[in-house]
Amino acid sequence: QVKLQQSGGGSVQAGGSLRLSCAASGYTSSRHWMAWFRQAPGKEREGVAAISPSGDTTNYADSVKGRFTISRDNANNNLQMNSLKPEDTAMYYCASHPIHSTILAMFTQSTLRAGYWGQGTQVTVSS
């Protein structure tokens, strides 16, 4: 059974840090790009960060560059979020897909959903 189990998240004040984790099981995740997406209330889903199967290539949304870091270790991937801002408040989702171009397409096409997805975890940043 394919599963992306998310953990972490929660509430923090602006300037603080949080770490999200995503544990993949039930498929060969080592061959997949892993990514994080987020959706705030009343807004479209957006891509946050992605990492290649080998871990040597990453992509970040401009809004999080220099503040967020994505990493992976075997079947797990993590999103370290530093210098958090109130506008980072959203439901965060882990996703997995073997094709980079599909991951990138999902970054900008909020209605596109492919591959495997986690259940979502809430991040709330207060000012």
Side-chain angles (χ1 to χ4, degrees):
Q1 181 182 2
V2 171
K3 189 173 185 179
L4 293 181
Q5 182 64 51
Q6 297 181 218
S7 59
S11 298
V12 67
Q13 289 190 330
S17 298
L18 286 172
R19 183 180 179 89
L20 303 181
S21 295
C22 176
S25 61
Y27 70 106
T28 309
S29 59
S30 60
R31 298 179 182 177
H32 279 224
W33 281 77
M34 304 295 292
W36 290 91
F37 296 82
R38 67 186 182 187
Q39 187 166 18
K43 295 188 176 181
E44 294 186 343
R45 188 196 72 204
E46 61 176 349
V48 175
I51 188 166
S52 62
S54 64
D56 60 359
T57 301
T58 56
N59 304 122
Y60 292 96
D62 288 342
S63 59
V64 306
K65 281 181 181 177
R67 300 188 298 120
F68 290 13
T69 302
I70 189 171
S71 62
R72 67 187 297 165
D73 179 12
N74 296 323
N76 303 314
N77 86 89
N78 304 295
L79 185 68
Q80 178 66 40
M81 304 183 293
N82 298 328
S83 302
L84 282 161
K85 304 175 181 180
E87 50 264 43
D88 294 318
T89 295
M91 185 71 77
Y92 283 71
Y93 297 90
C94 172
S96 171
H97 198 280
I99 301 174
H100 187 204
S101 59
T102 302
I103 289 286
L104 294 181
M106 291 195 289
F107 261 48
T108 56
Q109 299 174 36
S110 62
T111 57
L112 179 61
R113 184 182 174 101
Y116 306 128
W117 287 73
Q119 79 277 17
T121 187
Q122 180 68 37
V123 170
T124 302
V125 184
S126 58
S127 58

